[in-house]
Amino acid sequence: MSDSCDIAIVGAGVIGCSVAFHLARMGQRGVRILEKEPLPGTGSTSRANGGIRAQFTTEVNIAMSLASMAILDGLADEMGDPPVYRKAGYLFVTGDPKKLRSMAAASEFQRARGVSVDLLDEGGVRRHAPWIAGPVAGGTYGSRDGFVDPGRLTNFFLRDSTSAGVQIRYGAEVGAIERDQAGFRLQLGAGELRARVVVNAAGPYAKRVAAMLGVELPVEPVRRHLLMSGPCATLPPLIPMVIDADTGVLVRREGDRILIAWSNADEPAGFNLTFDPDFVERIADAVDRRFPDVAAAGIDRRRSWAGLYEVTPDHHAVIGPSGVPGFLLANGFSGHGVMHSTAAGRAVAELIVRGRSSVDISALSVGRFARGELIHETMVL
Ligand SMILES: Cc1cc2nc3c(=O)[nH]c(=O)nc-3n(C[C@H](O)[C@H](O)[C@H](O)COP(=O)(O)OP(=O)(O)OC[C@H]3O[C@@H](n4cnc5c(N)ncnc54)[C@H](O)[C@@H]3O)c2cc1C
């Protein structure tokens, strides 16, 4: 049975729902989201830490963060209470004076681009987090940084867009896509859907979806763990995201507990979602040395989990045309998909409706890989 729509979005994670939301706000009709699972947002979006920051070292990451923060501020009243975007701050800390010098240079670069970031001495760091231990040379603090609730943001996008006419189909796995003169034909189990435009918002599966149209997209799934501590009453009820820049371990509050993250550079690419109990031992020392209250609270393994980052070779997203006319990409967010979802969704919608995006996303083109124009970000977490 053949069905048709104008714009088909593959994937109902935070990215696909944001694209749909912005299309609907721009008055676009005939938008359909196709999701293989029976519910929205059950992929990487449901596993995210929800951090949002503008403390980056590339023009495009900073621009995407500032645009996302502005959009989130603009939607705050509509999203209601408690706030979906909480400006609890991001505090980067180092005990290494040499590292502090490069953090100082990064903060100058950021400030020149409108980021609210302070360079701190030891006293400044301890004012934000008197509970950290170990040597402190200084750090940086971004006051508009903080957290976004990934589930509530996704649900907001979806609720708002479906009430404006966007349709969503669950259990609709796109198995193949073909292009002919009339547009695209998407194979959905026994049925098919015709569309004029297709948006790839398939998260860790983006490479597979791109390959359906012969597009080479270097996005790999990479497992990432989040550890939940036991109840931790000795830390304040609201703390910034605190990143030990010397080890890469970061902590934030989640209810009466603390969430702990660390990126294992040796993790191989693959769809492995199993929780690795050895991960806890690997970071135990680093947690103990910098965050003794968190170490004392212990790790609750049953509440800890693993999810998939969708990683590109330069840890920047791929947003925009794919090379196949009418097929757009919004993929490879490399740990920044929740925080950049608002700006990314708007950019894709703008490309479809107006032909250009208000944020300059040219650096994020898929063509950069073939051209060898990779973007270098040093503040990757
Ligand atoms: C542990 C962890 C911590 C993270 N922390 C942060 C953070 O602090 N800040 C931040 O910004 N980001 C963070 N991220 C990254 C963030 O979660 C992702 O970048 C973001 O969720 C990507 O959203 P998405 O919509 O592209 O992907 P997903 O949420 O995975 O959605 C893709 C959807 O596409 C569907 N799909 C796939 N293939 C098909 C198909 N063929 N047909 C139909 N449907 C299909 C999937 O079922 C899925 O629902 C974290 C990720 C992990 C795993």
Side-chain angles (χ1 to χ4, degrees), residues 274-291:
T274 36
F275 181 79
D276 174 9
D278 292 345
F279 184 85
V280 179
E281 314 313 328
R282 289 192 73 160
I283 65 167
D285 275 355
V287 174
D288 197 28
R289 274 184 271 122
R290 187 59 96 193
F291 309 116

Side-chain angles (χ1 to χ4, degrees), residues 147-167:
F147 317 110
V148 171
D149 182 325
R152 282 188 55 219
L153 183 61
T154 307
N155 286 335
F156 169 76
F157 286 147
L158 192 56
R159 206 175 45 245
D160 198 88
S161 56
T162 49
S163 67
V166 169
Q167 295 183 339

Side-chain angles (χ1 to χ4, degrees), residues 10-16 34-37 39-52 90 172-175 201-205 209 212 222 224-226 241 305-310 330-331 333-340:
V10 185
V14 70
I15 298 295
L34 304 166
E35 171 54 56
K36 66 183 172 68
E37 302 298 334
L39 291 167
T42 60
S44 293
T45 300
S46 67
R47 315 248 169 172
N49 200 358
I52 178 167
Y90 257 61
E173 177 158 5
V174 177
Y205 299 88
V209 171
M212 293 176 191
V222 178
R224 165 98 181 195
H225 287 85
L226 281 178
M241 180 86 86
W305 68 88
L308 297 173
Y309 264 28
E310 345 81 65
N331 308 116
F333 287 87
S334 305
H336 312 138
V338 174
M339 70 178 84
H340 288 168

Side-chain angles (χ1 to χ4, degrees), residues 225-241:
H225 287 85
L226 281 178
L227 303 183
M228 186 74 84
S229 79
C232 184
T234 52
L235 296 191
L238 186 63
I239 62 172
M241 180 86 86

Side-chain angles (χ1 to χ4, degrees), residues 177-184 195-199 213 215 320-329 352:
I177 313 175
E178 283 169 22
R179 188 166 186 279
D180 57 26
Q181 281 183 336
F184 295 94
R196 178 180 64 89
V197 172
V198 175
V199 178
L213 283 160
V215 174
S322 65
V324 174
F327 180 45
L328 286 103
L329 307 169
I352 294 169

